[in-house]
Amino acid sequence: MTRDRIGKKLKRVDLLTRKDVLNVQRSFKIESRDGIRHKNDAVSVDLWVSQFCNDNEKIPVLYYKKQGEKKEDLEESDFCLIIMNHYQQEMLMKFGKNIVAIDSTHGLNNYDFLMTTLMVVDEFGEGFPVTYMFSNRHDTHTIILFF
């Protein structure tokens, strides 16, 4: 990861921009569908989760409950997706002993789901997101599930 290679003397590669990434994408003819796997968002998310659950090496999905599914943790009408990749887990283990913060954002889409982010403060004194929860509820029960 680029972040791990940053030294005291910055090089051009340490200052990648979105434009750089888009130029690489265009140069190598990397097709982007903006993460859309299906025109129905619920089906698209389900396909995305299934893709990762079939790849035992890198499962970023910690918890998933789609709407209409019965699970004892939540109500049938609830949606909840909690994700954390391997690098985020390492950052949580490394910096989670110091400061941990939680933040929720609403109104990100037409479904009025909340995105809750757990963050740590890294070696640069910056907030670093270590896990995300997308849910239609934000109460004690879902936060306990998140933790």
Side-chain angles (χ1 to χ4, degrees), residues 39-130:
K39 61 183 178 183
N40 179 306
D41 290 339
V43 173
S44 185
V45 169
D46 201 45
L47 289 169
W48 182 84
V49 169
S50 296
Q51 172 193 340
F52 282 106
C53 288
N54 291 332
D55 185 358
N56 292 331
E57 292 290 318
K58 48 183 177 181
I59 300 176
V61 178
L62 300 179
Y63 182 87
Y64 175 57
K65 190 225 164 277
K66 57 185 171 183
Q67 288 180 308
E69 180 181 46
K70 291 184 180 182
K71 274 196 176 180
E72 57 187 60
D73 304 19
L74 297 171
E75 295 175 19
E76 190 173 338
S77 61
D78 288 334
F79 171 82
C80 186
L81 173 63
I82 303 173
I83 54 177
M84 170 195 284
N85 65 34
H86 182 71
Y87 187 70
Q88 289 173 311
Q89 183 180 12
E90 288 177 13
M91 294 294 283
L92 177 60
M93 299 307 285
K94 185 174 182 178
F95 298 107
K97 298 175 185 103
N98 299 327
I99 298 171
V100 177
I102 188 169
D103 180 53
S104 290
T105 306
H106 60 85
L108 296 174
N109 57 38
N110 294 336
Y111 307 108
D112 203 28
F113 289 164
L114 295 156
M115 180 180 77
T116 303
T117 308
L118 184 68
M119 292 184 291
V120 295
V121 176
D122 66 13
E123 70 270 29
F124 304 111
E126 300 289 328
F128 186 90
V130 292

